[in-house]
Amino acid sequence: MSLFIDYPDRRLNRLTTFFRLFIVIPIVWFAVILVNQIVLVLVACATLAWDAAGWRNEFLLAGFIAIPTVLMLLFRHKYPKWWFDWNLALTKFFARIWAYLCLLTDEFPSIDEEQSVHIEIPYPNAKDDLNRWLPMVKWLLATPHWIVLFFLYIGVL
């Protein structure tokens, strides 16, 4: 993976720098709320429930967004190009948002244009480059972390 951010040829606009946290609210709202809802509902089949606070996610299935990729690697030993392109597009989109928030660029993040943030991730050859059992091992290694986070979440509540 490689990340290149074009150095701005002029100084950043001080007015937009001061109000940047407020200016970026619509695009962050779109990125975080809408994209997560689309992924959770369409890919993970997460259910939505209505309560007094409004719509909320049932986070039981939220961690299983990667299951289709894991199952494709495990049983078919394939990583579909369309799935890779979707993940790459989301990665580029979030990188543009973070570059704008961290004052690395002065351009408002675009939904579809590359702008001054360039990310290159080569498409992996699933048969040669990816181990089909490694995702399962990683999930097992992450289990103690999830247990600690569960108790920390209880402590926060």
Side-chain angles (χ1 to χ4, degrees), residues 55-87:
W55 288 102
R56 64 180 170 86
N57 285 324
E58 296 294 334
F59 287 107
L60 179 63
L61 296 175
F64 297 112
I65 294 173
I67 281 184
T69 306
V70 170
L71 292 177
M72 284 185 273
L73 282 173
L74 186 62
F75 295 112
R76 301 285 313 259
H77 212 167
K78 292 183 179 180
Y79 189 23
K81 180 78 167 125
W82 62 269
W83 190 268
F84 176 79
D85 291 339
W86 165 261
N87 289 333

Side-chain angles (χ1 to χ4, degrees), residues 4-139:
F4 300 104
I5 300 176
D6 297 336
Y7 188 76
D9 55 349
R10 59 179 172 75
R11 295 181 66 172
L12 296 176
N13 187 345
R14 291 183 183 181
L15 185 63
T16 60
T17 301
F18 182 72
F19 292 109
R20 189 155 299 193
L21 289 176
F22 302 109
I23 294 171
V24 81
I25 287 175
I27 197 77
V28 169
W29 180 83
F30 173 78
V32 173
I33 302 300
L34 293 181
V35 171
N36 282 337
Q37 291 296 326
I38 290 169
V39 170
L40 287 176
V41 171
L42 295 179
V43 177
C45 300
T47 59
L48 295 172
W50 180 262
D51 61 3
W55 288 102
R56 64 180 170 86
N57 285 324
E58 296 294 334
F59 287 107
L60 179 63
L61 296 175
F64 297 112
I65 294 173
I67 281 184
T69 306
V70 170
L71 292 177
M72 284 185 273
L73 282 173
L74 186 62
F75 295 112
R76 301 285 313 259
H77 212 167
K78 292 183 179 180
Y79 189 23
K81 180 78 167 125
W82 62 269
W83 190 268
F84 176 79
D85 291 339
W86 165 261
N87 289 333
L88 182 61
L90 281 179
T91 302
K92 289 181 177 183
F93 179 55
F94 285 114
R96 284 191 297 271
I97 292 173
W98 278 108
Y100 184 72
L101 279 173
C102 294
L103 305 176
L104 297 174
T105 183
D106 208 15
E107 296 174 311
F108 189 76
S110 173
I111 294 174
D112 57 352
E113 295 176 9
E114 193 168 294
Q115 293 178 319
S116 61
V117 179
H118 312 284
I119 295 179
E120 296 175 13
I121 302 174
Y123 178 69
N125 183 358
K127 292 188 186 249
D128 298 331
D129 299 338
L130 300 176
N131 185 347
R132 64 182 356 176
W133 296 104
L134 197 56
M136 300 301 284
V137 171
K138 289 180 181 180
W139 280 36

